[in-house]
Amino acid sequence: MAEDRLDIDLKTLEDNSDLRQVEFEGEVSDERYQFAVQYDVLEALSTVAPEGDAVAIFKQHAEEIADLGVVALARDPDQEIVVISENDLE
């Protein structure tokens, strides 16, 4: 799965502040998946707390998030929502 690429569907970005994550859909190897990236990851990538600006921060770091999404998907491809957490940061 290392060669696979996550194509993020930016139209599906949704800030779920209750769960402190940005949810989105993406495609890897012609398969569509649901993803969520935790606020902690956004903060680690941007060094800014994402409160109120989570989607904007997500867009600024979409390339890194796409890479992390492939890592998270490889860890557990059968989960309903693939959650990108701090554990996926290198």
Side-chain angles (χ1 to χ4, degrees):
M1 187 161 293
E3 301 119 23
D4 290 334
R5 169 114 178 90
L6 167 58
D7 292 316
I8 296 171
D9 184 349
L10 294 176
K11 297 183 306 268
T12 64
L13 292 179
E14 183 177 327
D15 184 3
N16 185 336
S17 58
D18 292 341
L19 294 178
R20 297 185 42 78
Q21 62 189 21
V22 174
E23 299 168 353
F24 63 97
E25 294 179 20
E27 197 170 287
V28 178
S29 297
D30 297 325
E31 293 280 334
R32 196 142 179 100
Y33 296 93
Q34 297 280 89
F35 288 88
V37 60
Q38 295 177 339
Y39 277 15
D40 291 343
V41 174
L42 296 175
E43 186 168 354
L45 292 172
S46 68
T47 68
V48 175
E51 281 20 313
D53 291 325
V55 171
I57 292 170
F58 181 105
K59 288 179 179 178
Q60 291 172 348
H61 297 278
E63 281 294 316
E64 295 105 323
I65 293 167
D67 292 341
L68 295 172
V70 172
V71 172
L73 180 62
R75 185 181 64 246
D76 187 3
D78 296 326
Q79 54 190 324
E80 186 176 322
I81 296 179
V82 178
V83 178
I84 302 166
S85 70
E86 285 186 295
N87 295 333
D88 298 308
L89 293 170
E90 297 176 313

